[in-house]
Amino acid sequence: MLIDAHAHLDFKDFEKDLNLVIKRFNGIIIQNSVDYESMKKTLDISEKYENVKAALGIYPLKCLKLTEKELNEKLNFIKKNKNKIIALGEIGIDLKESSEEKKQIKNLKKFIRLSEEIKKPMIVHSRKAEDLILEVLKDTKSKVILHFYSGNVTQVKKALEYGFYFSVPTIISNSKNLKKLIKIVPLNRILTETDCPYLSPTKEKRNEPVNVKHTISVIAKIKNVSEKEVENQIYKNYKNIFE
Ligand SMILES: [Zn+2]
């Protein structure tokens, strides 16, 4: 059973053939929302397809546009739907597109508190905030999945010490840094993801869950084990984290 732990199937790119995209993937997809509209679509899609699970969250940059009251309303929406979701995501900190560090930390902390309250893991985005994200998350009691983490060896080791998981995107074939990460992260801390429609392994093409198999094959080569072994371990990790 393959795992795509981070997908955006509600995006326009999948409007025409969502059904086919989901059907040709033999595995489980975690659909991550990015704003309120996307949360509603996420719940719809996960209700319709048995192999699509819902993660509800608001992308850090979209979060910045909300007033405190609006954000609290969205958090309440998530809480109300806690039985329909398996995680909070996509949440996090992005200092590449915004320098509003303080507010992003404050927003993320609200999601951390919610995740502890409703006992759901968090799927976390971090860009140009590799140290900061570890600092903000290190004391949480919730499980943490770092999505497309691009920290250095020291930072990755620190994240491992904190017990965090790494979800590895399909562009691993073109990324030296990700390959380095796979070398030091044990198989029982790895998940696979696409971040589709983004981050396609083939340039200018839409990414989709079926591409997870490329990541499996790269991981198998680096770890010097069979693809089946990688697939089975990642499925086990999925169950450990989310079930
Ligand atoms: Zn994403």
Side-chain angles (χ1 to χ4, degrees), residues 70-150:
E70 284 167 337
L71 177 57
N72 289 338
E73 282 164 10
K74 309 306 179 243
L75 292 165
N76 268 329
F77 177 83
I78 298 174
K79 203 165 139 180
K80 225 177 60 198
N81 288 287
K82 65 176 184 182
N83 294 329
K84 296 180 179 168
I85 67 175
I86 65 165
L88 295 190
E90 174 164 10
I91 56 175
I93 294 177
D94 194 316
L95 296 178
K96 187 173 181 241
E97 308 288 333
S98 158
S99 54
E100 280 183 79
E101 188 175 318
K102 275 207 182 109
K103 195 167 178 210
Q104 290 197 58
I105 296 173
K106 195 174 164 210
N107 290 342
L108 177 58
K109 283 187 172 165
K110 288 193 174 210
F111 282 104
I112 297 174
R113 273 198 297 276
L114 176 63
S115 92
E116 289 169 349
E117 189 188 334
I118 64 175
K119 297 190 170 53
K120 302 283 175 188
M122 292 178 275
I123 299 171
V124 182
H125 165 105
S126 57
R127 211 158 30 165
K128 295 259 175 288
E130 285 74 18
D131 265 324
L132 179 63
I133 204 81
L134 302 183
E135 214 31 57
V136 178
L137 288 163
K138 71 175 182 193
D139 294 322
T140 181
K141 289 175 194 71
S142 298
K143 289 182 181 132
V144 172
I145 300 98
L146 297 171
H147 130 75
F148 191 4
Y149 186 70
S150 35

Side-chain angles (χ1 to χ4, degrees), residues 6 8 59 90 147 195 198:
H6 190 96
H8 300 288
Y59 195 69
E90 174 164 10
H147 130 75
D195 205 10
Y198 307 126

